[in-house]
Amino acid sequence: ISHELNLKTNSINIKIEEHFPIFTLIKGSEAWIVNEVGEIEEPLLIFSKKFKTPDLKIMINEVDHLDEKNSTALNLDSKELINLHSHIEKFLKLSEIKSDQIQINFNARSITVIGNPSIILPAYENNLQDLVEKLKIVLSDLNSRKERPKEIDFRFKDRVVVR
């Protein structure tokens, strides 16, 4: 909200911009709501890992990634936050993963969808449809053998690692 007071004309101009929250960004023990334009809102005052953000399905944990040269944590700008969110939403829609709340661990190299099993994706994979097809094949094969892995890792070019 911004406002402007004009004493000569005895008028007040008020401009209100409304933004909608789309996900929760978690760094360490702090959390923020991120809106649809990628702006980080004020930090949430009450937060724990068990906290459920009302109406926000996706919680993204930014896992500190130490740059080998600079030893600094990864920081995403608003465009990168929106791209990351849309990338994750697209994957979730294609893979038909159902959950009330999706927890994501993200660093410069990978995205981990926390679940049973957890799914590790390359951070910037453009061909999500191909990954989803591989995921469905792997899950079908594991179900037929009644195996319950903890993790399915898609970061490698020519193989899928199941742990």
Side-chain angles (χ1 to χ4, degrees):
I1 299 175
S2 65
H3 53 83
E4 181 183 306
L5 176 61
N6 188 332
L7 296 175
K8 290 182 182 178
T9 61
N10 291 329
S11 64
I12 297 175
N13 292 329
I14 298 174
K15 179 183 175 186
I16 298 174
E17 288 185 30
E18 189 173 12
H19 292 285
F20 300 96
I22 57 172
F23 68 90
T24 307
L25 176 67
I26 303 164
K27 287 185 176 188
S29 62
E30 296 181 309
W32 294 266
I33 300 294
V34 178
N35 66 30
E36 82 280 3
V37 293
E39 293 172 343
I40 297 174
E41 305 282 333
E42 292 183 30
L44 296 170
L45 298 177
I46 302 170
F47 176 73
S48 75
K49 293 288 182 185
K50 296 176 186 173
F51 176 77
K52 297 273 189 201
T53 307
D55 302 325
L56 297 181
K57 182 174 183 166
I58 298 176
M59 295 176 71
I60 298 177
N61 298 302
E62 185 179 322
V63 179
D64 282 344
H65 166 69
L66 295 180
D67 184 299
E68 292 164 5
K69 294 177 186 172
N70 302 323
S71 294
T72 56
L74 171 72
N75 288 307
L76 301 175
D77 65 24
S78 59
K79 184 178 178 185
E80 289 170 319
L81 284 171
I82 294 303
N83 288 342
L84 173 62
H85 179 263
S86 62
H87 185 72
I88 291 166
E89 275 203 326
K90 184 177 179 184
F91 172 76
L92 294 173
K93 183 177 181 181
L94 288 170
S95 62
E96 301 172 357
I97 292 175
K98 305 282 188 260
S99 178
D100 291 339
Q101 192 146 35
I102 305 290
Q103 288 225 16
I104 307 291
N105 286 344
F106 170 77
N107 65 35
R109 294 188 190 106
S110 66
I111 297 168
T112 304
V113 180
I114 306 298
N116 188 15
S118 291
I119 301 165
I120 304 173
L121 306 170
Y124 298 103
E125 173 60 51
N126 292 326
N127 192 354
L128 288 178
Q129 186 67 47
D130 185 45
L131 283 178
V132 169
E133 292 305 316
K134 287 180 186 175
L135 175 64
K136 288 179 180 179
I137 291 167
V138 169
L139 288 175
S140 175
D141 180 55
L142 291 169
N143 283 337
S144 70
R145 292 187 279 150
K146 296 182 177 24
E147 292 183 18
R148 304 291 300 162
K150 288 185 177 185
E151 237 174 40
I152 303 172
D153 191 340
F154 290 94
R155 290 177 293 175
F156 308 100
K157 185 176 180 179
D158 296 324
R159 62 188 163 129
V160 176
V161 177
V162 178
R163 296 178 190 93

